[in-house]
Amino acid sequence: AEAGGPRGTAPGQQLRALFYAVTPGESSFSTVEEVPDYVEKSIPFFITFIGLEFAVSWIQKRKLPGRINDGISSLSLGILSRLPDVLFRGIELISYIYVWNNYRLFELPWDSPWTWYLTFLGVDFAYYCFHRMSHEVNILWAAHQVHHSSEDYNLFTALRQSLLQKYTSWMFNLPMALFIPPSVFAVHLQFNLLYQFWIHTELITKLGPLEWILNTPSHHRVHHGRNPYCIDKNYGGTLIIWDRIFGTFEAEDAKVVYGLTHPVNSFDPIMLQLRPLAHIWNTFWATPGFCNKLSVIFKGPGWGPGKPRLGLPEEIPVITGKEVPFNPHVPAYLNCYALVHFAVIVDLYIKLLASMTMLSQGTVLVRIGFIILSLASFGLLMENKSKAGILEIIRCLVFIGAYELDYFRSHFSFLGYAYEV
C-alpha cells in the first residue's frame, strides 16, 4: 500500500480484483467513503485485456473476436449504464445504507475475515437470485436483455450493461443490510461485477476442476447462447455452485450461437435500452383480462395466455448453425470515422470521471447530454440509417460550440488542436 498508494488501489491489487484474488486484509474498510471505486480504476485493465484478446485471437485463428459495430455498441451501452453514477450515488448503496441505519438486527465486525467471506457468499447468492428472476420475470428481463443482445461473445460483451438493471437489482441485497456493514458490501458488490468481465471470451476453453466451483468462460458461454439447451441456464456470478444446487446448470455442448432468441438487429444504445419496455407496454394493452395483463409484466418473456409461466420450450427458434449476425454494410471510411470519434467520446467520458468533483453542475450535464447524443449518433451510423448524417452534423456543430465555450477539454492537452480539426 505504501508503494502503490492508498490501500486497495495499488495496480497489482487492482489487477487481482478482476479475478476476486484479493485478501480480506487488503480490501476491508470501516466506512463506505474509504472503499475505492474498483470499477473505475479497472478501465485501463479492461482496455489492455481487450487488446490482448484481439491479439491472441488473430495469432491463433487469424481472425478477430468481434466486429467494430458490435464493439462500439457494447462500449456505448457500458458508458451509458455508468452515467447516472456521475450525478449521484448508486441506488444499491443508498437503499442498503438506509436499511442498515434504520433496521439492522446486529452488526458483524467490518474487519473480520469471517464477515468478508460471508459477504462474498451472500452477494453472490443474491446475484444468482436476481439474475434468475431477470430471466423469468418479463419486466426485469426488459432491463437485463440488453446484456444478451450482442451476437458476438468477447470482452466487449462484458461491458454491455443495462442502464435500468440497477434499479431492479437493489432489493435482492437488502437482507444482508440487516447485519453486514455497508463498507464490506460495497467492496463485494464491485468484485462480483469485475469477476464477470474475464469470463466473456471464447479463447479460454475448460479450466479443469475449477469448473465444478467457479463460473468460467465455458459456463457463461452457455448462458449467453440462444440454442434451446442454453436458455435459462448458468445464472451464477462468481460461483457456479448455486446453479448446481438449484438445477439450472448446463455444461457446454453443441457450438453456442449467441444473442437473443429474437435478435433486435440494432446498434442504437438508446433503442436497445427502451424498445423492450415499449414492447411490454404494447403487449399489456393488447392482452385482454386484468390477470393476463399482470402476467405480461410478472411472468416470463415467453408467456402468453394459456401457456405455462415461462412459455413453451418448443416455441424457441431452432438453431441451424447457419445464423448470420446483423451486420449492415458500411463503407470502410465510415467505420474509421465512427471509431475515431468514438475514441474522442471515451476520452471525454474518462475526463468527466476524473474531474467531476471540480466541474460545475451545468458543465457535467452538458457533457453527459453530449455523450448520450454521440452514442445515439454512432449507433445510427453503424446501421447506415438515412437520418444518421443529419444527426451527426448536428452533433459535430454542438461539439464545436461546446468546445469553444470551454465545456469540453481533452484528457490529453496535446489533442486540443486535433479535436478542433
Side-chain angles (χ1 to χ4, degrees):
E2 291 177 359
R7 181 162 52 98
T9 61
Q13 295 173 12
Q14 192 64 48
L15 176 60
R16 287 186 284 112
L18 284 174
F19 303 93
Y20 230 129
V22 290
T23 64
E26 63 187 346
S27 56
S28 295
F29 306 87
S30 60
T31 65
V32 171
E33 289 70 25
E34 295 177 63
V35 177
D37 190 337
Y38 289 101
V39 175
E40 179 187 334
K41 294 178 185 300
S42 294
I43 291 176
F45 292 105
F46 293 159
I47 297 171
T48 301
F49 278 111
I50 287 172
L52 185 62
E53 181 186 37
F54 270 71
V56 172
S57 179
W58 180 256
I59 292 171
Q60 289 184 348
K61 306 177 181 180
R62 283 296 184 268
K63 71 174 185 177
L64 299 179
R67 297 163 292 153
I68 291 176
N69 47 24
D70 190 80
I72 289 178
S73 178
S74 292
L75 290 178
S76 297
L77 288 162
I79 291 173
L80 197 62
S81 71
R82 295 281 294 174
L83 288 179
D85 297 335
V86 174
L87 298 175
F88 39 78
R89 179 181 283 175
I91 189 174
E92 302 105 325
L93 277 179
I94 291 175
S95 58
Y96 193 96
I97 291 172
Y98 177 82
V99 173
W100 169 262
N101 288 337
N102 294 279
Y103 300 107
R104 69 176 179 267
L105 302 178
F106 55 91
E107 182 175 341
L108 294 177
W110 66 267
D111 55 352
S112 168
W114 292 107
T115 303
W116 195 94
Y117 288 115
L118 178 63
T119 310
F120 162 69
L121 292 174
V123 167
D124 200 59
F125 179 65
Y127 178 82
Y128 170 85
C129 295
F130 153 71
H131 198 183
R132 183 169 180 176
M133 287 300 99
S134 291
H135 283 251
E136 297 184 359
V137 177
N138 202 16
I139 192 66
L140 301 184
W141 171 247
H144 182 63
Q145 61 84 37
V146 171
H147 181 61
H148 286 264
S149 58
S150 174
E151 295 177 89
D152 292 343
Y153 189 77
N154 50 42
L155 294 178
F156 279 127
T157 310
L159 305 178
R160 193 182 190 94
Q161 297 296 322
S162 167
L163 173 67
L164 303 173
Q165 181 171 293
K166 65 184 69 178
Y167 301 105
T168 60
S169 63
W170 58 272
M171 62 190 75
F172 291 85
N173 295 310
L174 295 186
M176 289 181 287
L178 299 176
F179 53 92
I180 292 176
S183 61
V184 186
F185 167 75
V187 167
H188 287 278
L189 185 67
Q190 295 186 77
F191 286 172
N192 191 272
L193 176 64
L194 289 175
Y195 177 89
Q196 296 177 57
F197 171 73
W198 72 275
I199 60 178
H200 289 83
T201 183
E202 291 190 291
L203 294 183
I204 300 174
T205 52
K206 298 280 188 176
L207 295 178
L210 294 178
E211 302 277 338
W212 286 94
I213 302 171
L214 297 176
N215 192 15
T216 65
S218 176
H219 297 331
H220 206 59
R221 284 193 289 269
V222 171
H223 180 71
H224 273 260
R226 61 184 184 183
N227 312 55
Y229 87 92
C230 298
I231 302 299
D232 296 340
K233 299 296 182 182
N234 299 0
Y235 296 113
T238 301
L239 301 173
I240 203 66
I241 58 174
W242 315 117
D243 289 285
R244 295 184 182 277
I245 291 172
F246 297 108
T248 53
F249 173 76
E250 188 71 41
E252 187 176 20
D253 187 10
K255 179 175 174 55
V256 177
V257 177
Y258 304 106
L260 301 170
T261 56
H262 299 88
V264 291
N265 293 339
S266 177
F267 299 120
D268 180 358
I270 309 300
M271 192 283 293
L272 287 169
Q273 299 280 359
L274 298 181
R275 192 167 77 171
L277 292 175
H279 175 71
I280 290 178
W281 175 265
N282 294 332
T283 306
F284 177 88
W285 290 111
T287 303
F290 179 72
C291 290
N292 284 338
K293 289 182 183 298
L294 291 180
S295 295
V296 168
I297 298 174
F298 296 109
K299 289 187 179 180
W303 178 85
K307 298 178 183 179
R309 182 175 68 89
L310 299 180
L312 297 170
E314 56 266 29
E315 291 185 350
I316 298 172
V318 176
I319 296 300
T320 64
K322 300 179 181 179
E323 287 73 16
V324 178
F326 175 65
N327 195 29
H329 174 71
V330 176
Y333 75 86
L334 196 57
N335 276 326
C336 293
Y337 174 91
L339 196 59
V340 169
H341 279 258
F342 183 76
V344 173
I345 294 304
V346 172
D347 172 50
L348 290 176
Y349 171 68
I350 293 173
K351 178 66 174 177
L352 178 62
L353 293 180
S355 59
M356 60 185 177
T357 57
M358 299 178 288
L359 300 173
S360 68
Q361 187 174 20
T363 300
V364 170
L365 291 175
V366 167
R367 292 190 180 191
I368 289 176
F370 181 74
I371 288 173
I372 294 173
L373 173 63
S374 299
L375 299 181
S377 181
F378 299 151
L380 294 179
L381 284 173
M382 292 294 90
E383 295 178 30
N384 212 2
K385 295 282 188 179
S386 58
K387 297 180 180 179
I390 297 174
L391 182 61
E392 182 60 15
I393 290 172
I394 294 173
R395 187 190 75 86
C396 288
L397 291 174
V398 171
F399 178 87
I400 292 171
Y403 193 86
E404 291 301 321
L405 293 172
D406 207 30
Y407 281 106
F408 300 143
R409 276 295 175 261
S410 168
H411 189 58
F412 305 101
S413 58
F414 65 87
L415 288 179
Y417 178 71
Y419 277 9
E420 293 184 29
V421 171

